[in-house]
Amino acid sequence: MAKASFSPFESEGVRGYLHKSMSGSDGMALTHGAGGDSKSLLLLAVADAFQAAGITVLRCDLTFRQQRPSGPPRPADSARDRAGLRAAVEALRNIASGRIFLAGQSYGGRQASMLAADEPELVDALMLLSYPLHPPGKPAEMRTAHFPQLRTRTLFVQGSHDPFGSIDEIEAAVKIIPAPHRLIVVEGAGHDLRRGRFDLSILTAGLSQLVGGGRPHGA
C-alpha cells in the first residue's frame, strides 16, 4: 500500500487537511466529535483508509473548533457547524468529480445527519462514526427526531461498548429511517472506536456496498 499523504486545506469557512486520491473521483468530507478536532487519530486513520481505497478525503474542523481551540460546542453552535459542513461539501465538489459522501464522528456525525435530513440532495451517502444516540446514562434523551426525514443512504459504525448508544438501541432507532442504511459493529470498542485501531477495510467495503455501483440520488 502506498504511503498516505495529505496537505493543509483552507477555503471560505473551511479548514482542514486534504487526502487527495490519484485513483478515484469520489470525495468524502470527514469531521470530528465535540471534544476533538480534525487531527484526531481516528479521523486520520479513516482518511488514510479511504484515500487508499480511491476516495479523496477532506478532513475538516467544524466551525466551533475553528473559532475555539478547545472546549465543547454550545447549543448555539450547531447551525453554524452545519453551515460549515455544507461549505466543506461544496469545496470538495471543486476537487472530486464523482459521488460525494459526508462523514462525522459523534457530534460531527449528528450534525452531518441533521444537515442531510434538511438537504437530502446534498450528498450521496453518510457515514456516522459512534453516533451519539443519547447522553451516557440518559437513554430517554434520544437524538433521533430527524431520523424519519433522513433520505440519504447511511452507514452507522458503532462500538459494542459505546455508552452513547448500545447496539440494541441503535438497531431499534434506525428502523425509523426511510433511506437504505446499514450498521457495522466494532466489537469491544467504546465511543472512540479504538481511535481507528481496527480493520478499517470494513468501513470502505461497507460504504461501497451501501451505495452500490450507481448514484443513490435519483435512482
Side-chain angles (χ1 to χ4, degrees), residues 97-164:
S97 60
R99 296 172 297 186
I100 300 295
F101 310 124
L102 180 57
Q105 178 192 11
S106 192
Y107 170 82
R110 182 187 179 199
Q111 298 308 317
S113 65
M114 292 172 69
L115 176 62
D118 287 340
E119 303 181 32
E121 298 300 320
L122 182 66
V123 294
D124 292 280
L126 294 168
M127 183 174 70
L128 309 181
L129 307 167
S130 300
Y131 187 85
L133 196 63
H134 57 70
K138 299 179 179 180
E141 297 180 19
M142 298 292 279
R143 295 158 170 163
T144 57
H146 62 291
F147 276 16
Q149 285 73 53
L150 197 52
R151 286 171 169 75
T152 303
R153 298 186 183 204
T154 305
L155 178 66
F156 288 85
V157 183
Q158 200 81 0
S160 62
H161 295 162
D162 192 335
F164 287 80

Short mmCIF file of all heavy atoms in Angstrom, two decimals, residues 97-164:
data_model
loop_
_atom_site.label_atom_id
_atom_site.label_comp_id
_atom_site.label_asym_id
_atom_site.label_seq_id
_atom_site.Cartn_x
_atom_site.Cartn_y
_atom_site.Cartn_z
N SER A 97 -14.86 14.88 -8.72
CA SER A 97 -15.91 14.97 -9.75
C SER A 97 -16.97 13.88 -9.62
O SER A 97 -17.98 13.93 -10.32
CB SER A 97 -15.28 14.88 -11.14
OG SER A 97 -14.58 13.64 -11.29
N GLY A 98 -16.76 12.92 -8.74
CA GLY A 98 -17.70 11.82 -8.60
C GLY A 98 -18.69 12.02 -7.47
O GLY A 98 -19.11 13.14 -7.17
N ARG A 99 -19.05 10.93 -6.85
CA ARG A 99 -20.00 10.99 -5.73
C ARG A 99 -19.36 11.67 -4.53
O ARG A 99 -18.14 11.60 -4.34
CB ARG A 99 -20.45 9.58 -5.35
CG ARG A 99 -21.23 8.88 -6.46
CD ARG A 99 -21.48 7.42 -6.13
NE ARG A 99 -20.22 6.68 -6.02
CZ ARG A 99 -20.16 5.35 -5.86
NH1 ARG A 99 -21.27 4.64 -5.76
NH2 ARG A 99 -18.99 4.74 -5.77
N ILE A 100 -20.18 12.31 -3.72
CA ILE A 100 -19.70 13.00 -2.52
C ILE A 100 -20.37 12.38 -1.30
O ILE A 100 -21.59 12.25 -1.23
CB ILE A 100 -20.00 14.51 -2.57
CG1 ILE A 100 -19.32 15.15 -3.79
CG2 ILE A 100 -19.54 15.18 -1.27
CD1 ILE A 100 -17.81 15.13 -3.75
N PHE A 101 -19.54 12.04 -0.32
CA PHE A 101 -20.02 11.47 0.93
C PHE A 101 -19.70 12.43 2.08
O PHE A 101 -18.75 13.20 2.01
CB PHE A 101 -19.34 10.12 1.19
CG PHE A 101 -19.38 9.18 0.01
CD1 PHE A 101 -18.21 8.64 -0.52
CD2 PHE A 101 -20.59 8.85 -0.58
CE1 PHE A 101 -18.24 7.79 -1.60
CE2 PHE A 101 -20.64 8.00 -1.68
CZ PHE A 101 -19.46 7.46 -2.19
N LEU A 102 -20.50 12.35 3.14
CA LEU A 102 -20.29 13.18 4.32
C LEU A 102 -20.21 12.26 5.52
O LEU A 102 -21.08 11.41 5.73
CB LEU A 102 -21.45 14.17 4.47
CG LEU A 102 -21.41 15.13 5.66
CD1 LEU A 102 -20.13 15.96 5.68
CD2 LEU A 102 -22.64 16.06 5.63
N ALA A 103 -19.14 12.42 6.30
CA ALA A 103 -18.90 11.54 7.44
C ALA A 103 -18.53 12.35 8.67
O ALA A 103 -17.91 13.40 8.57
CB ALA A 103 -17.79 10.55 7.11
N GLY A 104 -18.89 11.83 9.83
CA GLY A 104 -18.54 12.52 11.06
C GLY A 104 -18.55 11.59 12.24
O GLY A 104 -19.28 10.59 12.27
N GLN A 105 -17.73 11.93 13.22
CA GLN A 105 -17.67 11.18 14.46
C GLN A 105 -18.55 11.86 15.51
O GLN A 105 -18.49 13.08 15.68
CB GLN A 105 -16.23 11.10 14.97
CG GLN A 105 -16.09 10.38 16.31
CD GLN A 105 -14.71 10.56 16.93
OE1 GLN A 105 -13.92 11.38 16.47
NE2 GLN A 105 -14.44 9.80 17.97
N SER A 106 -19.37 11.08 16.21
CA SER A 106 -20.15 11.56 17.35
C SER A 106 -20.93 12.84 17.02
O SER A 106 -21.77 12.83 16.13
CB SER A 106 -19.22 11.76 18.56
OG SER A 106 -19.96 11.94 19.74
N TYR A 107 -20.63 13.95 17.69
CA TYR A 107 -21.33 15.22 17.44
C TYR A 107 -21.25 15.60 15.97
O TYR A 107 -22.24 16.08 15.39
CB TYR A 107 -20.72 16.31 18.32
CG TYR A 107 -21.19 17.72 17.99
CD1 TYR A 107 -22.40 18.21 18.49
CD2 TYR A 107 -20.41 18.56 17.20
CE1 TYR A 107 -22.82 19.49 18.19
CE2 TYR A 107 -20.83 19.84 16.91
CZ TYR A 107 -22.03 20.31 17.40
OH TYR A 107 -22.44 21.59 17.10
N GLY A 108 -20.09 15.42 15.36
CA GLY A 108 -19.94 15.76 13.94
C GLY A 108 -20.85 14.93 13.06
O GLY A 108 -21.42 15.42 12.09
N GLY A 109 -21.02 13.64 13.41
CA GLY A 109 -21.93 12.79 12.66
C GLY A 109 -23.38 13.18 12.86
O GLY A 109 -24.19 13.13 11.93
N ARG A 110 -23.71 13.58 14.09
CA ARG A 110 -25.08 14.03 14.35
C ARG A 110 -25.40 15.26 13.51
O ARG A 110 -26.47 15.34 12.88
CB ARG A 110 -25.25 14.34 15.84
CG ARG A 110 -26.67 14.75 16.20
CD ARG A 110 -26.75 15.21 17.64
NE ARG A 110 -28.10 15.64 17.98
CZ ARG A 110 -28.40 16.40 19.01
NH1 ARG A 110 -27.44 16.80 19.85
NH2 ARG A 110 -29.64 16.76 19.25
N GLN A 111 -24.48 16.23 13.47
CA GLN A 111 -24.72 17.43 12.67
C GLN A 111 -24.79 17.09 11.18
O GLN A 111 -25.60 17.66 10.44
CB GLN A 111 -23.64 18.48 12.94
CG GLN A 111 -23.58 18.97 14.37
CD GLN A 111 -24.93 19.45 14.89
OE1 GLN A 111 -25.67 20.15 14.19
NE2 GLN A 111 -25.27 19.07 16.11
N ALA A 112 -23.96 16.16 10.74
CA ALA A 112 -23.99 15.74 9.33
C ALA A 112 -25.34 15.12 8.99
O ALA A 112 -25.91 15.39 7.91
CB ALA A 112 -22.86 14.74 9.06
N SER A 113 -25.87 14.29 9.88
CA SER A 113 -27.15 13.64 9.60
C SER A 113 -28.30 14.65 9.65
O SER A 113 -29.26 14.55 8.85
CB SER A 113 -27.40 12.50 10.60
OG SER A 113 -27.55 12.98 11.92
N MET A 114 -28.23 15.64 10.52
CA MET A 114 -29.27 16.67 10.57
C MET A 114 -29.23 17.52 9.31
O MET A 114 -30.28 17.89 8.75
CB MET A 114 -29.08 17.54 11.81
CG MET A 114 -29.36 16.80 13.12
SD MET A 114 -28.93 17.75 14.60
CE MET A 114 -30.20 19.04 14.54
N LEU A 115 -28.03 17.82 8.82
CA LEU A 115 -27.90 18.58 7.57
C LEU A 115 -28.48 17.79 6.41
O LEU A 115 -29.22 18.33 5.58
CB LEU A 115 -26.42 18.88 7.33
CG LEU A 115 -26.07 19.59 6.03
CD1 LEU A 115 -26.74 20.97 5.95
CD2 LEU A 115 -24.55 19.73 5.88
N ALA A 116 -28.18 16.50 6.35
CA ALA A 116 -28.69 15.67 5.26
C ALA A 116 -30.20 15.52 5.34
O ALA A 116 -30.88 15.43 4.31
CB ALA A 116 -28.02 14.30 5.29
N ALA A 117 -30.75 15.47 6.55
CA ALA A 117 -32.21 15.38 6.69
C ALA A 117 -32.88 16.63 6.13
O ALA A 117 -33.95 16.55 5.53
CB ALA A 117 -32.59 15.18 8.16
N ASP A 118 -32.24 17.79 6.32
CA ASP A 118 -32.78 19.04 5.80
C ASP A 118 -32.52 19.21 4.30
O ASP A 118 -33.31 19.85 3.60
CB ASP A 118 -32.15 20.23 6.54
CG ASP A 118 -32.68 20.39 7.95
OD1 ASP A 118 -33.77 19.85 8.24
OD2 ASP A 118 -32.01 21.05 8.76
N GLU A 119 -31.40 18.64 3.83
CA GLU A 119 -30.99 18.81 2.42
C GLU A 119 -30.66 17.45 1.83
O GLU A 119 -29.49 17.08 1.67
CB GLU A 119 -29.79 19.75 2.33
CG GLU A 119 -30.05 21.12 2.94
CD GLU A 119 -28.86 22.06 2.83
OE1 GLU A 119 -28.10 21.95 1.84
OE2 GLU A 119 -28.68 22.88 3.75
N PRO A 120 -31.67 16.66 1.48
CA PRO A 120 -31.45 15.27 1.07
C PRO A 120 -30.65 15.10 -0.22
O PRO A 120 -30.13 14.02 -0.47
CB PRO A 120 -32.87 14.71 0.92
CG PRO A 120 -33.74 15.91 0.75
CD PRO A 120 -33.11 16.99 1.56
N GLU A 121 -30.53 16.14 -1.02
CA GLU A 121 -29.76 16.02 -2.26
C GLU A 121 -28.32 16.50 -2.10
O GLU A 121 -27.56 16.53 -3.07
CB GLU A 121 -30.44 16.85 -3.37
CG GLU A 121 -31.84 16.39 -3.72
CD GLU A 121 -31.86 14.95 -4.22
OE1 GLU A 121 -30.95 14.57 -4.98
OE2 GLU A 121 -32.78 14.20 -3.84
N LEU A 122 -27.91 16.86 -0.89
CA LEU A 122 -26.59 17.44 -0.69
C LEU A 122 -25.47 16.45 -0.97
O LEU A 122 -24.49 16.78 -1.64
CB LEU A 122 -26.46 17.98 0.74
CG LEU A 122 -25.15 18.67 1.07
CD1 LEU A 122 -24.97 19.96 0.27
CD2 LEU A 122 -25.05 18.96 2.57
N VAL A 123 -25.60 15.23 -0.44
CA VAL A 123 -24.54 14.23 -0.62
C VAL A 123 -25.16 12.89 -1.00
O VAL A 123 -26.37 12.68 -0.85
CB VAL A 123 -23.69 14.07 0.66
CG1 VAL A 123 -22.91 15.34 0.95
CG2 VAL A 123 -24.54 13.67 1.86
N ASP A 124 -24.30 11.98 -1.45
CA ASP A 124 -24.77 10.68 -1.90
C ASP A 124 -24.90 9.66 -0.78
O ASP A 124 -25.65 8.69 -0.91
CB ASP A 124 -23.83 10.14 -2.98
CG ASP A 124 -23.92 10.96 -4.26
OD1 ASP A 124 -24.87 10.74 -5.03
OD2 ASP A 124 -23.07 11.83 -4.49
N ALA A 125 -24.17 9.84 0.29
CA ALA A 125 -24.28 8.92 1.42
C ALA A 125 -23.63 9.55 2.65
O ALA A 125 -22.79 10.45 2.54
CB ALA A 125 -23.63 7.57 1.12
N LEU A 126 -24.04 9.04 3.81
CA LEU A 126 -23.48 9.45 5.10
C LEU A 126 -22.73 8.28 5.73
O LEU A 126 -23.11 7.12 5.55
CB LEU A 126 -24.58 9.86 6.07
CG LEU A 126 -25.42 11.09 5.76
CD1 LEU A 126 -26.63 11.13 6.70
CD2 LEU A 126 -24.60 12.36 5.89
N MET A 127 -21.69 8.59 6.49
CA MET A 127 -21.05 7.60 7.35
C MET A 127 -20.96 8.21 8.74
O MET A 127 -20.29 9.24 8.93
CB MET A 127 -19.67 7.21 6.84
CG MET A 127 -19.03 6.11 7.70
SD MET A 127 -17.47 5.47 7.04
CE MET A 127 -16.40 6.90 7.30
N LEU A 128 -21.65 7.60 9.71
CA LEU A 128 -21.74 8.15 11.06
C LEU A 128 -20.97 7.25 12.02
O LEU A 128 -21.37 6.11 12.28
CB LEU A 128 -23.20 8.27 11.48
CG LEU A 128 -24.12 8.99 10.47
CD1 LEU A 128 -25.54 9.07 11.01
CD2 LEU A 128 -23.58 10.38 10.14
N LEU A 129 -19.85 7.76 12.51
CA LEU A 129 -18.99 7.02 13.42
C LEU A 129 -19.40 7.33 14.86
O LEU A 129 -19.42 8.49 15.27
CB LEU A 129 -17.53 7.43 13.21
CG LEU A 129 -17.01 7.34 11.77
CD1 LEU A 129 -15.67 8.06 11.64
CD2 LEU A 129 -16.89 5.90 11.32
N SER A 130 -19.74 6.30 15.62
CA SER A 130 -20.12 6.48 17.04
C SER A 130 -21.25 7.51 17.18
O SER A 130 -21.11 8.51 17.89
CB SER A 130 -18.91 6.91 17.87
OG SER A 130 -17.89 5.95 17.81
N TYR A 131 -22.37 7.26 16.51
CA TYR A 131 -23.48 8.20 16.60
C TYR A 131 -23.90 8.35 18.06
O TYR A 131 -24.17 7.36 18.75
CB TYR A 131 -24.68 7.74 15.76
CG TYR A 131 -25.75 8.80 15.73
CD1 TYR A 131 -25.68 9.83 14.81
CD2 TYR A 131 -26.79 8.80 16.66
CE1 TYR A 131 -26.64 10.84 14.80
CE2 TYR A 131 -27.74 9.81 16.66
CZ TYR A 131 -27.66 10.83 15.73
OH TYR A 131 -28.59 11.83 15.73
N PRO A 132 -24.00 9.60 18.59
CA PRO A 132 -24.35 9.82 20.00
C PRO A 132 -25.87 9.74 20.19
O PRO A 132 -26.56 10.75 20.29
CB PRO A 132 -23.81 11.22 20.27
CG PRO A 132 -23.96 11.93 18.95
CD PRO A 132 -23.71 10.88 17.89
N LEU A 133 -26.37 8.53 20.26
CA LEU A 133 -27.81 8.32 20.29
C LEU A 133 -28.47 9.01 21.47
O LEU A 133 -29.58 9.54 21.36
CB LEU A 133 -28.09 6.81 20.33
CG LEU A 133 -29.49 6.35 20.00
CD1 LEU A 133 -29.86 6.71 18.57
CD2 LEU A 133 -29.60 4.84 20.21
N HIS A 134 -27.78 9.03 22.61
CA HIS A 134 -28.27 9.72 23.81
C HIS A 134 -27.07 10.01 24.70
O HIS A 134 -26.00 9.40 24.55
CB HIS A 134 -29.30 8.87 24.55
CG HIS A 134 -28.80 7.51 24.95
ND1 HIS A 134 -27.86 7.32 25.94
CD2 HIS A 134 -29.11 6.26 24.48
CE1 HIS A 134 -27.60 6.04 26.08
NE2 HIS A 134 -28.35 5.36 25.21
N PRO A 135 -27.19 10.95 25.65
CA PRO A 135 -26.09 11.16 26.60
C PRO A 135 -25.89 9.89 27.43
O PRO A 135 -26.85 9.17 27.71
CB PRO A 135 -26.58 12.33 27.47
CG PRO A 135 -27.66 12.98 26.67
CD PRO A 135 -28.31 11.89 25.88
N PRO A 136 -24.65 9.60 27.86
CA PRO A 136 -24.41 8.41 28.69
C PRO A 136 -25.30 8.40 29.93
O PRO A 136 -25.40 9.41 30.64
CB PRO A 136 -22.93 8.55 29.06
CG PRO A 136 -22.33 9.32 27.93
CD PRO A 136 -23.39 10.31 27.52
N GLY A 137 -25.94 7.29 30.16
CA GLY A 137 -26.78 7.14 31.33
C GLY A 137 -28.15 7.80 31.22
O GLY A 137 -28.92 7.77 32.18
N LYS A 138 -28.48 8.36 30.05
CA LYS A 138 -29.76 9.05 29.86
C LYS A 138 -30.46 8.53 28.60
O LYS A 138 -30.65 9.27 27.62
CB LYS A 138 -29.57 10.57 29.78
CG LYS A 138 -28.94 11.16 31.04
CD LYS A 138 -28.77 12.66 30.90
CE LYS A 138 -28.16 13.26 32.17
NZ LYS A 138 -27.98 14.74 32.03
N PRO A 139 -30.86 7.27 28.59
CA PRO A 139 -31.43 6.67 27.38
C PRO A 139 -32.75 7.28 26.93
O PRO A 139 -33.17 7.07 25.80
CB PRO A 139 -31.60 5.19 27.78
CG PRO A 139 -31.69 5.21 29.27
CD PRO A 139 -30.79 6.31 29.71
N ALA A 140 -33.39 8.04 27.81
CA ALA A 140 -34.66 8.67 27.42
C ALA A 140 -34.45 9.90 26.56
O ALA A 140 -35.38 10.35 25.88
CB ALA A 140 -35.47 9.04 28.67
N GLU A 141 -33.23 10.44 26.56
CA GLU A 141 -32.96 11.67 25.81
C GLU A 141 -32.41 11.31 24.42
O GLU A 141 -31.25 11.57 24.09
CB GLU A 141 -31.98 12.56 26.58
CG GLU A 141 -32.53 13.03 27.91
CD GLU A 141 -31.56 13.90 28.67
OE1 GLU A 141 -30.62 14.45 28.05
OE2 GLU A 141 -31.74 14.04 29.90
N MET A 142 -33.26 10.72 23.61
CA MET A 142 -32.85 10.24 22.30
C MET A 142 -32.65 11.39 21.30
O MET A 142 -33.43 12.36 21.29
CB MET A 142 -33.88 9.27 21.75
CG MET A 142 -34.06 8.03 22.61
SD MET A 142 -32.61 6.95 22.59
CE MET A 142 -32.87 6.08 21.05
N ARG A 143 -31.63 11.28 20.47
CA ARG A 143 -31.30 12.30 19.47
C ARG A 143 -31.66 11.77 18.08
O ARG A 143 -30.82 11.66 17.20
CB ARG A 143 -29.82 12.65 19.56
CG ARG A 143 -29.45 13.31 20.89
CD ARG A 143 -27.99 13.18 21.18
NE ARG A 143 -27.57 14.00 22.33
CZ ARG A 143 -26.43 13.83 22.99
NH1 ARG A 143 -25.59 12.86 22.62
NH2 ARG A 143 -26.11 14.60 24.00
N THR A 144 -32.92 11.45 17.92
CA THR A 144 -33.38 10.81 16.69
C THR A 144 -34.56 11.52 16.05
O THR A 144 -35.19 10.97 15.14
CB THR A 144 -33.78 9.35 16.98
OG1 THR A 144 -34.79 9.34 18.01
CG2 THR A 144 -32.59 8.53 17.43
N ALA A 145 -34.89 12.73 16.47
CA ALA A 145 -36.08 13.41 15.96
C ALA A 145 -36.04 13.58 14.45
O ALA A 145 -37.08 13.59 13.78
CB ALA A 145 -36.23 14.77 16.64
N HIS A 146 -34.83 13.71 13.88
CA HIS A 146 -34.71 13.94 12.44
C HIS A 146 -34.62 12.64 11.63
O HIS A 146 -34.64 12.68 10.40
CB HIS A 146 -33.48 14.79 12.14
CG HIS A 146 -32.18 14.16 12.56
ND1 HIS A 146 -31.84 13.98 13.87
CD2 HIS A 146 -31.14 13.66 11.83
CE1 HIS A 146 -30.65 13.41 13.95
NE2 HIS A 146 -30.21 13.19 12.73
N PHE A 147 -34.52 11.50 12.28
CA PHE A 147 -34.34 10.24 11.56
C PHE A 147 -35.45 9.96 10.54
O PHE A 147 -35.16 9.47 9.44
CB PHE A 147 -34.23 9.07 12.55
CG PHE A 147 -32.84 8.86 13.12
CD1 PHE A 147 -31.86 9.84 13.02
CD2 PHE A 147 -32.51 7.67 13.76
CE1 PHE A 147 -30.58 9.65 13.54
CE2 PHE A 147 -31.24 7.47 14.28
CZ PHE A 147 -30.27 8.45 14.17
N PRO A 148 -36.73 10.24 10.84
CA PRO A 148 -37.76 9.96 9.84
C PRO A 148 -37.64 10.80 8.56
O PRO A 148 -38.23 10.46 7.54
CB PRO A 148 -39.07 10.29 10.58
CG PRO A 148 -38.73 10.12 12.02
CD PRO A 148 -37.33 10.61 12.14
N GLN A 149 -36.89 11.90 8.62
CA GLN A 149 -36.69 12.75 7.44
C GLN A 149 -35.40 12.41 6.69
O GLN A 149 -35.07 13.05 5.69
CB GLN A 149 -36.65 14.22 7.84
CG GLN A 149 -38.01 14.82 8.19
CD GLN A 149 -38.54 14.33 9.52
OE1 GLN A 149 -37.85 14.41 10.54
NE2 GLN A 149 -39.76 13.81 9.54
N LEU A 150 -34.67 11.41 7.15
CA LEU A 150 -33.36 11.10 6.58
C LEU A 150 -33.55 10.22 5.33
O LEU A 150 -33.90 9.04 5.43
CB LEU A 150 -32.50 10.39 7.62
CG LEU A 150 -30.99 10.33 7.40
CD1 LEU A 150 -30.40 11.71 7.13
CD2 LEU A 150 -30.32 9.68 8.58
N ARG A 151 -33.29 10.81 4.18
CA ARG A 151 -33.45 10.10 2.91
C ARG A 151 -32.13 9.91 2.17
O ARG A 151 -32.11 9.65 0.98
CB ARG A 151 -34.48 10.83 2.04
CG ARG A 151 -35.89 10.62 2.55
CD ARG A 151 -36.95 11.44 1.90
NE ARG A 151 -38.27 10.96 2.30
CZ ARG A 151 -38.83 11.16 3.48
NH1 ARG A 151 -38.18 11.85 4.40
NH2 ARG A 151 -40.03 10.67 3.76
N THR A 152 -31.05 10.04 2.90
CA THR A 152 -29.71 9.81 2.38
C THR A 152 -29.21 8.47 2.91
O THR A 152 -29.35 8.18 4.10
CB THR A 152 -28.75 10.92 2.83
OG1 THR A 152 -29.28 12.18 2.40
CG2 THR A 152 -27.37 10.73 2.24
N ARG A 153 -28.64 7.67 2.04
CA ARG A 153 -28.12 6.37 2.46
C ARG A 153 -27.11 6.56 3.59
O ARG A 153 -26.24 7.44 3.50
CB ARG A 153 -27.49 5.64 1.28
CG ARG A 153 -28.49 5.35 0.18
CD ARG A 153 -27.91 4.51 -0.93
NE ARG A 153 -28.90 4.33 -1.97
CZ ARG A 153 -28.92 3.32 -2.84
NH1 ARG A 153 -27.96 2.41 -2.79
NH2 ARG A 153 -29.87 3.23 -3.75
N THR A 154 -27.20 5.74 4.62
CA THR A 154 -26.42 5.99 5.83
C THR A 154 -25.77 4.72 6.35
O THR A 154 -26.43 3.69 6.54
CB THR A 154 -27.31 6.58 6.94
OG1 THR A 154 -27.97 7.76 6.44
CG2 THR A 154 -26.49 6.95 8.16
N LEU A 155 -24.45 4.83 6.61
CA LEU A 155 -23.69 3.76 7.23
C LEU A 155 -23.38 4.16 8.67
O LEU A 155 -22.72 5.18 8.91
CB LEU A 155 -22.38 3.54 6.47
CG LEU A 155 -21.42 2.47 7.03
CD1 LEU A 155 -22.06 1.08 6.93
CD2 LEU A 155 -20.09 2.50 6.29
N PHE A 156 -23.88 3.40 9.63
CA PHE A 156 -23.58 3.61 11.04
C PHE A 156 -22.43 2.68 11.44
O PHE A 156 -22.42 1.50 11.07
CB PHE A 156 -24.80 3.29 11.91
CG PHE A 156 -25.91 4.29 11.82
CD1 PHE A 156 -26.86 4.20 10.82
CD2 PHE A 156 -26.03 5.30 12.76
CE1 PHE A 156 -27.91 5.12 10.74
CE2 PHE A 156 -27.07 6.23 12.69
CZ PHE A 156 -28.00 6.14 11.67
N VAL A 157 -21.48 3.23 12.20
CA VAL A 157 -20.35 2.44 12.71
C VAL A 157 -20.32 2.65 14.22
O VAL A 157 -20.06 3.75 14.69
CB VAL A 157 -19.02 2.89 12.07
CG1 VAL A 157 -17.89 1.99 12.56
CG2 VAL A 157 -19.11 2.86 10.55
N GLN A 158 -20.60 1.59 14.98
CA GLN A 158 -20.79 1.74 16.42
C GLN A 158 -19.97 0.70 17.18
O GLN A 158 -19.93 -0.48 16.81
CB GLN A 158 -22.27 1.56 16.77
CG GLN A 158 -22.68 2.14 18.10
CD GLN A 158 -22.94 3.64 18.03
OE1 GLN A 158 -22.82 4.25 16.97
NE2 GLN A 158 -23.29 4.23 19.16
N GLY A 159 -19.29 1.15 18.25
CA GLY A 159 -18.59 0.23 19.12
C GLY A 159 -19.58 -0.54 19.99
O GLY A 159 -20.59 0.01 20.43
N SER A 160 -19.26 -1.79 20.25
CA SER A 160 -20.19 -2.62 21.03
C SER A 160 -20.29 -2.18 22.49
O SER A 160 -21.24 -2.55 23.18
CB SER A 160 -19.76 -4.09 20.97
OG SER A 160 -18.47 -4.27 21.53
N HIS A 161 -19.33 -1.37 22.96
CA HIS A 161 -19.35 -0.89 24.34
C HIS A 161 -19.51 0.63 24.41
O HIS A 161 -19.01 1.26 25.35
CB HIS A 161 -18.07 -1.31 25.07
CG HIS A 161 -17.93 -2.79 25.23
ND1 HIS A 161 -16.73 -3.41 25.51
CD2 HIS A 161 -18.85 -3.79 25.12
CE1 HIS A 161 -16.92 -4.72 25.57
NE2 HIS A 161 -18.19 -4.97 25.35
N ASP A 162 -20.20 1.21 23.47
CA ASP A 162 -20.35 2.66 23.42
C ASP A 162 -21.43 3.11 24.42
O ASP A 162 -22.60 2.72 24.28
CB ASP A 162 -20.74 3.10 22.01
CG ASP A 162 -20.65 4.60 21.80
OD1 ASP A 162 -20.75 5.36 22.78
OD2 ASP A 162 -20.48 5.02 20.64
N PRO A 163 -21.09 3.96 25.40
CA PRO A 163 -22.09 4.40 26.38
C PRO A 163 -23.11 5.38 25.81
O PRO A 163 -24.12 5.66 26.45
CB PRO A 163 -21.24 5.06 27.47
CG PRO A 163 -20.02 5.56 26.76
CD PRO A 163 -19.75 4.51 25.71
N PHE A 164 -22.85 5.90 24.62
CA PHE A 164 -23.79 6.83 23.99
C PHE A 164 -24.89 6.10 23.21
O PHE A 164 -25.75 6.74 22.62
CB PHE A 164 -23.06 7.77 23.04
CG PHE A 164 -22.24 8.83 23.72
CD1 PHE A 164 -20.99 8.54 24.22
CD2 PHE A 164 -22.71 10.13 23.85
CE1 PHE A 164 -20.21 9.51 24.85
CE2 PHE A 164 -21.96 11.11 24.47
CZ PHE A 164 -20.69 10.80 24.97
#
